[in-house]
Amino acid sequence: MATSLFNGCMAKKIFTRSFIAAYKDRDISRKQLADWIKLSLYFEDPTRTLKPGMIYHETIPKYAELFQTGLCIFAFGFYATQIRAFQKYWLHEWMVTAILGRQTIDHYSRSHLIKCHDISHIATDSIDNSLQKFIGIIEQTGPGYLYQNIQPVDREEGMENDKESQNRDNTPRLKQCYSIELFDRQDREIKLRITSDGLFNCRSFVRDLGFYLNCPSSIDSAHLDKLGPVSSEQSLQKHQLHYEQMVKSAEEITPACIEYLKQLRLQYPDAKDSSRFI
């Protein structure tokens, strides 16, 4: 790996083997983000040839939920297949806000309200005890909807395949949660810091936590603070997606990502490829 991604005759090849960190917020779809990267590369350096499929914008992670924001890693060229093979093993660190006792049709706090339940019986100690049940390898199903014939409200185009997601196989799957910390509680609202694998579903977790606490609960937000070796402080916001800043970001995080992939390869030698998205 060269010192600079754009020095020397191998610059273009080196760049196609690098990573870009980008900040995903509620105004950005995956396709828009990939298109902006392509355009910024083209207009800042018109000599570049952008081939179809050069940017893999649906590789890791594929977060389609409106309330999920935070770090997103883009892979280019060779390393896109490496990321797909290990996507479930990348460490995820979430900051999750949940609303206790708020029952909605799809376990999302800003969706159609069914009932607001009493939470006077829920002590902070009982929350801490319930959280311990989710640490380790657990079974999770998708969050689902209470009424299949009712479309959830307050959705944006991030859920492109909404009908398809409702009909998706909801077979329990094994997920791994490494730690959960109760960060803060303000009446119904609780804030949690969660570290997990790449398949752990935050909305399903909040739903199941409500079962243990004997009160339906829903998620309000889920911010991804860290993804593998990359933290949100290293990511770019959408107004920063232009040539020079992307080069600087790639130079910073590419070595860490490559080293992280090498470690995962040693730890999980049987992981070849995965068509399942998060």
Side-chain angles (χ1 to χ4, degrees):
M1 183 63 67
T3 304
S4 171
L5 295 174
F6 290 92
N7 283 342
C9 61
M10 297 296 291
K12 293 182 180 180
K13 291 184 179 180
I14 292 172
F15 186 73
T16 60
R17 295 166 62 91
S18 67
F19 299 87
I20 291 292
Y23 189 84
K24 180 182 182 298
D25 64 23
R26 298 180 185 183
D27 298 324
I28 301 179
S29 70
R30 297 185 303 277
K31 186 177 185 305
Q32 284 177 321
L33 190 51
D35 288 343
W36 285 338
I37 293 175
K38 290 178 182 179
L39 286 173
S40 62
L41 289 174
Y42 177 77
F43 287 118
E44 295 287 347
D45 183 3
T47 64
R48 290 189 52 78
T49 301
L50 298 178
K51 297 180 180 179
M54 173 185 167
I55 297 180
Y56 295 79
H57 64 277
E58 292 188 344
T59 302
I60 179 174
K62 184 178 181 181
Y63 299 125
E65 306 265 24
L66 173 63
F67 52 81
Q68 291 181 342
T69 63
L71 187 64
C72 177
I73 288 184
F74 279 64
F76 293 76
F78 170 76
Y79 285 110
T81 58
Q82 299 291 302
I83 285 184
R84 287 191 62 169
F86 294 110
Q87 59 181 337
K88 66 173 290 185
Y89 303 113
W90 283 66
L91 180 71
H92 286 56
E93 185 174 303
W94 296 95
M95 180 61 75
V96 172
T97 301
I99 308 296
L100 300 178
R102 186 172 177 86
Q103 185 179 13
T104 63
I105 63 172
D106 63 350
H107 313 288
Y108 174 46
S109 297
R110 300 175 196 175
S111 294
H112 178 73
L113 177 65
I114 296 175
K115 185 177 179 181
C116 210
H117 296 257
D118 177 45
I119 63 164
S120 59
H121 65 287
I122 302 178
T124 302
D125 288 344
S126 63
I127 298 175
D128 281 325
N129 293 335
S130 297
L131 293 177
Q132 302 308 309
K133 303 179 186 296
F134 296 92
I135 297 177
I137 299 176
I138 62 172
E139 276 193 351
Q140 269 192 335
T141 61
Y145 300 95
L146 296 185
Y147 303 105
Q148 293 290 337
N149 62 334
I150 299 179
Q151 292 292 330
V153 297
D154 196 22
R155 293 271 166 176
E156 294 183 1
E157 293 182 0
M159 291 286 284
E160 297 104 341
N161 302 315
D162 210 21
K163 292 183 180 179
E164 181 181 341
S165 66
Q166 290 190 36
N167 298 324
R168 189 183 305 159
D169 177 23
N170 210 22
T171 305
R173 298 183 185 277
L174 293 179
K175 318 288 180 71
Q176 187 160 11
C177 180
Y178 304 112
S179 67
I180 308 177
E181 176 189 356
L182 180 58
F183 200 70
D184 186 32
R185 180 185 181 182
Q186 298 292 334
D187 192 27
R188 292 181 180 275
E189 182 181 284
I190 59 173
K191 292 186 177 181
L192 306 164
R193 188 184 301 278
I194 302 171
T195 56
S196 66
D197 65 9
L199 300 180
F200 185 84
N201 190 299
C202 294
R203 181 154 58 122
S204 297
F205 157 71
V206 171
R207 175 203 62 191
D208 295 341
L209 177 62
F211 293 157
Y212 280 107
L213 296 173
N214 197 27
C215 74
S217 301
S218 52
I219 196 168
D220 191 60
S221 66
H223 186 91
L224 186 59
D225 282 337
K226 190 173 183 181
L227 184 59
V230 185
S231 64
S232 58
E233 289 79 12
Q234 296 170 275
S235 64
L236 303 175
Q237 295 195 25
K238 60 181 179 180
H239 65 271
Q240 299 174 310
L241 292 176
H242 59 76
Y243 188 77
E244 290 185 0
Q245 285 170 300
M246 287 196 296
V247 172
K248 182 179 178 181
S249 175
E251 287 182 321
E252 180 181 354
I253 73 172
T254 294
C257 286
I258 292 175
E259 186 61 33
Y260 192 70
L261 279 170
K262 289 179 180 177
Q263 294 174 12
L264 292 179
R265 174 62 69 192
L266 293 174
Q267 192 171 356
Y268 305 101
D270 295 330
K272 303 299 182 184
D273 188 25
S274 172
S275 58
R276 280 197 70 224
F277 292 113
I278 298 170

